Amino acid sequence: MSARTARNAKTLARKYYAGTEVYEAETLKIFTQRWLYVGRVSSLPEPGSYFLRDFDSESVIVLRDHREEVRAHHNVCRHRGTRLISEPEGQLAKSIQCMYHAWTYSLDGSLIGAPFMDQVESFCTEDYPLKAVAVALWEGCIFINLAADPEPFDEAFAPLIGKFTRWRLADLDIAHRITYEIAANWKLVFQNYSECYHCPSLHPVLNRLTPFRNSANDLEEGPILGGPMRMSIEGGSMTMTGQRCAPPLGEVSGDDLNSVQYYTVFPNLLLSLHPDYVLIHRIERLATDRSRIICDWLFHPNATADPDFDPSGAIEFWNMTNKQDWEVSELAQRGISSLAYEPGPYSELESMIAAWDREYLSVLEREPE
Amino acid sequence: MSARTARNAKTLARKYYAGTEVYEAETLKIFTQRWLYVGRVSSLPEPGSYFLRDFDSESVIVLRDHREEVRAHHNVCRHRGTRLISEPEGQLAKSIQCMYHAWTYSLDGSLIGAPFMDQVESFCTEDYPLKAVAVALWEGCIFINLAADPEPFDEAFAPLIGKFTRWRLADLDIAHRITYEIAANWKLVFQNYSECYHCPSLHPVLNRLTPFRNSANDLEEGPILGGPMRMSIEGGSMTMTGQRCAPPLGEVSGDDLNSVQYYTVFPNLLLSLHPDYVLIHRIERLATDRSRIICDWLFHPNATADPDFDPSGAIEFWNMTNKQDWEVSELAQRGISSLAYEPGPYSELESMIAAWDREYLSVLEREPE
Amino acid sequence: MSARTARNAKTLARKYYAGTEVYEAETLKIFTQRWLYVGRVSSLPEPGSYFLRDFDSESVIVLRDHREEVRAHHNVCRHRGTRLISEPEGQLAKSIQCMYHAWTYSLDGSLIGAPFMDQVESFCTEDYPLKAVAVALWEGCIFINLAADPEPFDEAFAPLIGKFTRWRLADLDIAHRITYEIAANWKLVFQNYSECYHCPSLHPVLNRLTPFRNSANDLEEGPILGGPMRMSIEGGSMTMTGQRCAPPLGEVSGDDLNSVQYYTVFPNLLLSLHPDYVLIHRIERLATDRSRIICDWLFHPNATADPDFDPSGAIEFWNMTNKQDWEVSELAQRGISSLAYEPGPYSELESMIAAWDREYLSVLEREPE
């Protein structure tokens, strides 16, 4: 681990948090080019299981097809563009049928029915499958990529590969979900998560469990940033009491039993690995000044099956901490929107934000100012 | 009648349904240049009767003046621009008075009172009449045109002249009105109305009364498009039972007793002539993705005066069908808004949409893409 | 006093009331350059008393510091831009602390605490005070100026200096406040206030107390415009009964006992001095077609301390008159938004609007059209 330094970096300029120019550039360079976390394989239990994910005007159907493969299709009929599915999640029968003119697609996206189109001379069903969206699976997590020719997932997110094997993430189920909508730019959520300089003033309970200086970083540059933070209670966890609420996950042992691992995965995932559970924040950019955050608490099915299982201490702890973070992120949004705002200096405790900003600007192909 | 063909046309590009550029071009080329249906002469029973019609920021007063003439004026005082009338319809006394400084206009638009303006040397009341809007009457229907020098109505809508005389449209009254507001571009309403390819999947009740292949078209190019559709019940009508709910209109006889006539009148009127009643859809463009549809059921006063008159079968039938159409139009709007949407192929059953699109692009002075 | 003439001027063009171009120009040339009335010194009774004022995205803290000085600071932390204070008014302790990372500022704006920033080599607290906003006091009124180098208040508003001394404005307290939000451009509020041509038709009660021809103007060009208006009841006031509801203010005597003084102070204050009380309208521009008006009734503390004090006649009178003015201003906004609107001729009774428009265009650096 290197000595922590923010290298005299300053916060990003106002334009990254206000106005439409950067928002549109982010759409082009980030949200239609990078791998995006969309959910868990366990949310697609059988062939035909699906959920929708929206990105601005885009709607993507993520489903398990009849060969058990996880696939993603644009939710747009190839005939007259009609949205095919409106319910955010559910179970499909063997196919997807447009309610307008009954064009029908198999779960793998092939057009298998188009009434009367055989009368159109030049028409050929092979030319009109649902438009496919690239999919990658990692440790039970589903990622999609809206680019025509996406960078391979294993290259884009190389530091993730094999890094958290001992938590056996793929085995976990979502035990609880809370969805938040906040009046702040999505980047403020990442920047807030990337430092504990604010913990003494904003999170007194958290700061007792993990005093803010206890953090270390093992990924300090690139799309994945973060590292472990030592807990003050040996064998504890991040809960209201500081005690674990389930047995350790997978092969978690040694130092990992006394730490929580915090990582940002650019551009829409926060990964918080505790000894006994995993917290996933999925961040949706809704507007320059509005974001949705879907927060999932993941436990091992053996733990949730235990009649004495009680995750409330973990849920309450992070719900409280989340709300503290969202409140201050909204205040940051409002202040940064002022013409009087100018970039301020990062402390050395904010070196991970400086690294995150560098990655962001690099992907956006902008120079720091 | 020619052989039906969509000539391998495809649906319009995304930009016609999203963003502001096309919306503004439509304002300039269509909604301030073409004849627009605004309502029925029978809604202006006596001198001083008026209704307002809004088009974006424009408000037009349509009234019957003291010489019984139907006129239209901009709803803008010539002094300081104050909106003169706010109530959407009503009965004026002999004049229109601005509530701000009491400038007063006669029903024909002349400025007849402007307190203290005689002290302004250069002022002359003749210079400040209400700004006039062109009016044309056709079969009891009122059309206006916001252009400074509009194309004569009889030339613009030549195919309409004399075409429906036997229905005696001018004699009819509005027996029922339902207003809908939908989250879809106005063009999707026209395109939906222009084909019955969707009838088997979307309108099972309608499709029993008029099987989708029963349609014929006698106007296949230009601002008025459509034709008759033969009903499966002889002497029936489009109602929940398939039976007429009033005697045949005017001189309707022969084939017309067994048909319903469907026409689109560019850019804001749908005309559906049944043997026993007439349905009028007036479409208001509210935003790129929002429209209002005012649907009127017109009957002959002799029918409505009958103590046994019951139009509920006609009202319920079209209200049900309308709602099915609006739902799928909203799905089309959402899907077309996706960047993944690209124009799809029309079937031969959609040849009238292809013709409507051609007319639209021609008026908008755009090339098909 | 000169002969009243509007010099054949016409109303402003549509673009000044619709669209975003002029709105943004006003931000640059007017609202971030000119002195703006923000409130009364009496609203800041002791050190630490503050209120916030918003201008679009800007938020300004107006406070009394520990040396009793009235100051204004941008409500933006110099670290990461967080908004410091959210409550619109209140009482601060000895300092302003950012809730995010506990950066702390004294009431005079100096940065007095910035945890761990001493570890950042180049950091110096003197470089990061709260950004100051210029403040001027006049007769108990607080004005701010967001410009970097504002024109001196006494030069900008020279006609105000000493003009109203005999009312002893600084002694008065706010006895009542009503806040209105209206769907009209802020300029329409000024233009409405600047003439009594509308009084016979719109304000019958007011017009009995001050017949519309009774007005005279002693400031006819520049940022301050207006003059006295003689009341029809000697020794009366503008109330529901026409009688005063408090003894005359300060040294008010002679003609001033029989007059009400109406002045517009560009760009956000209307000043109405009655013999017995003062009415202040503060106008907030919220959008091209939306304004907020904060209306305060100011009385002398001796009057309000009287057990028989009853200001209801003054409050009801102006609340009624305000509402009449707001209604017609909203109608003006709607009519002017029409493309059919074109500038109309001012009467000679509207000479003060013509002067106000000239000042407005001059500050905006536009030519009349």
Side-chain angles (χ1 to χ4, degrees), chain A residues 8-30:
Chain A
N8 284 322
K10 293 197 168 189
T11 60
L12 294 175
R14 177 177 184 268
K15 69 176 175 186
Y16 294 102
Y17 303 93
T20 59
E21 186 267 329
V22 162
Y23 189 87
E24 286 162 19
E26 288 178 351
T27 301
L28 287 177
K29 302 281 188 185
I30 299 175

mmCIF file of all heavy atoms in Angstrom, chain A residues 8-30:
data_model
loop_
_atom_site.group_PDB
_atom_site.id
_atom_site.type_symbol
_atom_site.label_atom_id
_atom_site.label_comp_id
_atom_site.label_asym_id
_atom_site.label_seq_id
_atom_site.Cartn_x
_atom_site.Cartn_y
_atom_site.Cartn_z
ATOM 1 N N ASN A 8 -2.500 17.062 -4.206
ATOM 2 C CA ASN A 8 -2.973 18.449 -4.374
ATOM 3 C C ASN A 8 -4.142 18.596 -5.342
ATOM 4 O O ASN A 8 -4.391 19.680 -5.879
ATOM 5 C CB ASN A 8 -1.836 19.384 -4.819
ATOM 6 C CG ASN A 8 -0.932 19.696 -3.643
ATOM 7 O OD1 ASN A 8 -1.407 19.867 -2.524
ATOM 8 N ND2 ASN A 8 0.363 19.735 -3.897
ATOM 9 N N ALA A 9 -4.866 17.507 -5.571
ATOM 10 C CA ALA A 9 -6.015 17.587 -6.478
ATOM 11 C C ALA A 9 -7.133 18.423 -5.851
ATOM 12 O O ALA A 9 -7.217 18.566 -4.625
ATOM 13 C CB ALA A 9 -6.530 16.195 -6.790
ATOM 14 N N LYS A 10 -7.971 18.963 -6.714
ATOM 15 C CA LYS A 10 -9.147 19.690 -6.251
ATOM 16 C C LYS A 10 -10.417 19.001 -6.772
ATOM 17 O O LYS A 10 -10.358 18.145 -7.655
ATOM 18 C CB LYS A 10 -9.087 21.137 -6.749
ATOM 19 C CG LYS A 10 -7.946 21.917 -6.122
ATOM 20 C CD LYS A 10 -8.142 23.412 -6.282
ATOM 21 C CE LYS A 10 -7.135 24.151 -5.394
ATOM 22 N NZ LYS A 10 -7.414 25.600 -5.354
ATOM 23 N N THR A 11 -11.532 19.403 -6.216
ATOM 24 C CA THR A 11 -12.816 18.837 -6.635
ATOM 25 C C THR A 11 -13.109 19.215 -8.090
ATOM 26 O O THR A 11 -12.532 20.154 -8.627
ATOM 27 C CB THR A 11 -13.951 19.373 -5.727
ATOM 28 O OG1 THR A 11 -13.990 20.797 -5.840
ATOM 29 C CG2 THR A 11 -13.722 19.001 -4.276
ATOM 30 N N LEU A 12 -14.011 18.483 -8.702
ATOM 31 C CA LEU A 12 -14.370 18.737 -10.104
ATOM 32 C C LEU A 12 -15.086 20.082 -10.258
ATOM 33 O O LEU A 12 -15.709 20.573 -9.318
ATOM 34 C CB LEU A 12 -15.307 17.636 -10.624
ATOM 35 C CG LEU A 12 -14.719 16.223 -10.723
ATOM 36 C CD1 LEU A 12 -15.826 15.232 -11.131
ATOM 37 C CD2 LEU A 12 -13.568 16.165 -11.729
ATOM 38 N N ALA A 13 -15.003 20.638 -11.460
ATOM 39 C CA ALA A 13 -15.642 21.931 -11.752
ATOM 40 C C ALA A 13 -17.169 21.804 -11.726
ATOM 41 O O ALA A 13 -17.730 20.715 -11.857
ATOM 42 C CB ALA A 13 -15.175 22.451 -13.105
ATOM 43 N N ARG A 14 -17.835 22.936 -11.570
ATOM 44 C CA ARG A 14 -19.296 23.021 -11.494
ATOM 45 C C ARG A 14 -19.994 22.347 -12.663
ATOM 46 O O ARG A 14 -21.035 21.709 -12.503
ATOM 47 C CB ARG A 14 -19.693 24.496 -11.434
ATOM 48 C CG ARG A 14 -21.192 24.769 -11.428
ATOM 49 C CD ARG A 14 -21.436 26.267 -11.294
ATOM 50 N NE ARG A 14 -22.856 26.578 -11.183
ATOM 51 C CZ ARG A 14 -23.650 26.870 -12.220
ATOM 52 N NH1 ARG A 14 -23.157 26.892 -13.448
ATOM 53 N NH2 ARG A 14 -24.917 27.144 -12.024
ATOM 54 N N LYS A 15 -19.430 22.488 -13.855
ATOM 55 C CA LYS A 15 -20.131 21.994 -15.054
ATOM 56 C C LYS A 15 -20.372 20.484 -14.996
ATOM 57 O O LYS A 15 -21.267 19.988 -15.691
ATOM 58 C CB LYS A 15 -19.343 22.344 -16.307
ATOM 59 C CG LYS A 15 -18.035 21.600 -16.450
ATOM 60 C CD LYS A 15 -17.357 21.948 -17.773
ATOM 61 C CE LYS A 15 -15.993 21.280 -17.853
ATOM 62 N NZ LYS A 15 -15.247 21.690 -19.043
ATOM 63 N N TYR A 16 -19.600 19.765 -14.204
ATOM 64 C CA TYR A 16 -19.817 18.322 -14.108
ATOM 65 C C TYR A 16 -21.051 17.971 -13.279
ATOM 66 O O TYR A 16 -21.478 16.816 -13.250
ATOM 67 C CB TYR A 16 -18.572 17.631 -13.539
ATOM 68 C CG TYR A 16 -17.403 17.735 -14.487
ATOM 69 C CD1 TYR A 16 -16.381 18.658 -14.268
ATOM 70 C CD2 TYR A 16 -17.355 16.948 -15.638
ATOM 71 C CE1 TYR A 16 -15.332 18.782 -15.162
ATOM 72 C CE2 TYR A 16 -16.310 17.069 -16.540
ATOM 73 C CZ TYR A 16 -15.304 17.981 -16.293
ATOM 74 O OH TYR A 16 -14.272 18.111 -17.200
ATOM 75 N N TYR A 17 -21.608 18.961 -12.618
ATOM 76 C CA TYR A 17 -22.768 18.730 -11.747
ATOM 77 C C TYR A 17 -23.984 19.561 -12.131
ATOM 78 O O TYR A 17 -25.009 19.497 -11.464
ATOM 79 C CB TYR A 17 -22.392 19.069 -10.300
ATOM 80 C CG TYR A 17 -21.207 18.289 -9.793
ATOM 81 C CD1 TYR A 17 -19.911 18.791 -9.886
ATOM 82 C CD2 TYR A 17 -21.386 17.014 -9.261
ATOM 83 C CE1 TYR A 17 -18.818 18.065 -9.431
ATOM 84 C CE2 TYR A 17 -20.305 16.287 -8.805
ATOM 85 C CZ TYR A 17 -19.015 16.815 -8.902
ATOM 86 O OH TYR A 17 -17.960 16.088 -8.450
ATOM 87 N N ALA A 18 -23.882 20.363 -13.167
ATOM 88 C CA ALA A 18 -24.980 21.262 -13.546
ATOM 89 C C ALA A 18 -25.027 21.361 -15.061
ATOM 90 O O ALA A 18 -24.007 21.246 -15.729
ATOM 91 C CB ALA A 18 -24.773 22.646 -12.928
ATOM 92 N N GLY A 19 -26.202 21.554 -15.603
ATOM 93 C CA GLY A 19 -26.316 21.739 -17.047
ATOM 94 C C GLY A 19 -26.365 20.424 -17.780
ATOM 95 O O GLY A 19 -26.262 19.342 -17.198
ATOM 96 N N THR A 20 -26.531 20.505 -19.095
ATOM 97 C CA THR A 20 -26.790 19.296 -19.879
ATOM 98 C C THR A 20 -25.588 18.831 -20.692
ATOM 99 O O THR A 20 -25.560 17.691 -21.128
ATOM 100 C CB THR A 20 -27.957 19.544 -20.862
ATOM 101 O OG1 THR A 20 -27.597 20.642 -21.710
ATOM 102 C CG2 THR A 20 -29.245 19.875 -20.116
ATOM 103 N N GLU A 21 -24.608 19.675 -20.896
ATOM 104 C CA GLU A 21 -23.510 19.306 -21.799
ATOM 105 C C GLU A 21 -22.778 18.065 -21.297
ATOM 106 O O GLU A 21 -22.581 17.096 -22.033
ATOM 107 C CB GLU A 21 -22.548 20.502 -21.963
ATOM 108 C CG GLU A 21 -21.453 20.283 -22.994
ATOM 109 C CD GLU A 21 -20.166 19.720 -22.388
ATOM 110 O OE1 GLU A 21 -19.869 20.031 -21.217
ATOM 111 O OE2 GLU A 21 -19.477 18.948 -23.082
ATOM 112 N N VAL A 22 -22.378 18.089 -20.032
ATOM 113 C CA VAL A 22 -21.648 16.942 -19.484
ATOM 114 C C VAL A 22 -22.559 15.716 -19.395
ATOM 115 O O VAL A 22 -22.125 14.591 -19.669
ATOM 116 C CB VAL A 22 -21.050 17.294 -18.101
ATOM 117 C CG1 VAL A 22 -20.672 16.044 -17.319
ATOM 118 C CG2 VAL A 22 -19.838 18.208 -18.280
ATOM 119 N N TYR A 23 -23.818 15.951 -19.056
ATOM 120 C CA TYR A 23 -24.758 14.822 -18.952
ATOM 121 C C TYR A 23 -24.784 14.039 -20.264
ATOM 122 O O TYR A 23 -24.720 12.810 -20.261
ATOM 123 C CB TYR A 23 -26.160 15.338 -18.610
ATOM 124 C CG TYR A 23 -27.140 14.238 -18.272
ATOM 125 C CD1 TYR A 23 -27.242 13.762 -16.968
ATOM 126 C CD2 TYR A 23 -27.929 13.654 -19.253
ATOM 127 C CE1 TYR A 23 -28.128 12.744 -16.647
ATOM 128 C CE2 TYR A 23 -28.820 12.629 -18.939
ATOM 129 C CZ TYR A 23 -28.913 12.179 -17.638
ATOM 130 O OH TYR A 23 -29.783 11.157 -17.326
ATOM 131 N N GLU A 24 -24.871 14.771 -21.362
ATOM 132 C CA GLU A 24 -24.918 14.097 -22.658
ATOM 133 C C GLU A 24 -23.586 13.435 -23.013
ATOM 134 O O GLU A 24 -23.560 12.345 -23.585
ATOM 135 C CB GLU A 24 -25.357 15.091 -23.734
ATOM 136 C CG GLU A 24 -26.852 15.378 -23.624
ATOM 137 C CD GLU A 24 -27.285 16.653 -24.333
ATOM 138 O OE1 GLU A 24 -26.545 17.138 -25.202
ATOM 139 O OE2 GLU A 24 -28.383 17.150 -24.002
ATOM 140 N N ALA A 25 -22.496 14.093 -22.641
ATOM 141 C CA ALA A 25 -21.182 13.479 -22.872
ATOM 142 C C ALA A 25 -21.055 12.185 -22.062
ATOM 143 O O ALA A 25 -20.524 11.181 -22.550
ATOM 144 C CB ALA A 25 -20.075 14.463 -22.501
ATOM 145 N N GLU A 26 -21.548 12.190 -20.833
ATOM 146 C CA GLU A 26 -21.526 10.971 -20.012
ATOM 147 C C GLU A 26 -22.330 9.852 -20.678
ATOM 148 O O GLU A 26 -21.935 8.682 -20.620
ATOM 149 C CB GLU A 26 -22.103 11.253 -18.626
ATOM 150 C CG GLU A 26 -21.214 12.100 -17.732
ATOM 151 C CD GLU A 26 -21.843 12.412 -16.370
ATOM 152 O OE1 GLU A 26 -23.039 12.118 -16.186
ATOM 153 O OE2 GLU A 26 -21.137 12.944 -15.510
ATOM 154 N N THR A 27 -23.459 10.211 -21.271
ATOM 155 C CA THR A 27 -24.255 9.190 -21.968
ATOM 156 C C THR A 27 -23.411 8.535 -23.065
ATOM 157 O O THR A 27 -23.355 7.307 -23.170
ATOM 158 C CB THR A 27 -25.522 9.828 -22.588
ATOM 159 O OG1 THR A 27 -26.283 10.437 -21.536
ATOM 160 C CG2 THR A 27 -26.367 8.787 -23.302
ATOM 161 N N LEU A 28 -22.759 9.360 -23.843
ATOM 162 C CA LEU A 28 -21.983 8.849 -24.985
ATOM 163 C C LEU A 28 -20.742 8.077 -24.578
ATOM 164 O O LEU A 28 -20.425 7.039 -25.157
ATOM 165 C CB LEU A 28 -21.546 10.007 -25.891
ATOM 166 C CG LEU A 28 -22.650 10.641 -26.736
ATOM 167 C CD1 LEU A 28 -22.099 11.817 -27.528
ATOM 168 C CD2 LEU A 28 -23.222 9.581 -27.689
ATOM 169 N N LYS A 29 -20.022 8.594 -23.594
ATOM 170 C CA LYS A 29 -18.706 8.031 -23.271
ATOM 171 C C LYS A 29 -18.759 7.009 -22.144
ATOM 172 O O LYS A 29 -17.855 6.182 -22.017
ATOM 173 C CB LYS A 29 -17.751 9.158 -22.837
ATOM 174 C CG LYS A 29 -17.558 10.248 -23.870
ATOM 175 C CD LYS A 29 -16.592 9.805 -24.940
ATOM 176 C CE LYS A 29 -16.250 10.977 -25.864
ATOM 177 N NZ LYS A 29 -15.409 10.535 -26.987
ATOM 178 N N ILE A 30 -19.751 7.106 -21.296
ATOM 179 C CA ILE A 30 -19.772 6.229 -20.111
ATOM 180 C C ILE A 30 -20.941 5.247 -20.178
ATOM 181 O O ILE A 30 -20.742 4.044 -20.288
ATOM 182 C CB ILE A 30 -19.852 7.068 -18.810
ATOM 183 C CG1 ILE A 30 -18.610 7.971 -18.707
ATOM 184 C CG2 ILE A 30 -19.964 6.144 -17.587
ATOM 185 C CD1 ILE A 30 -18.628 8.928 -17.521
#
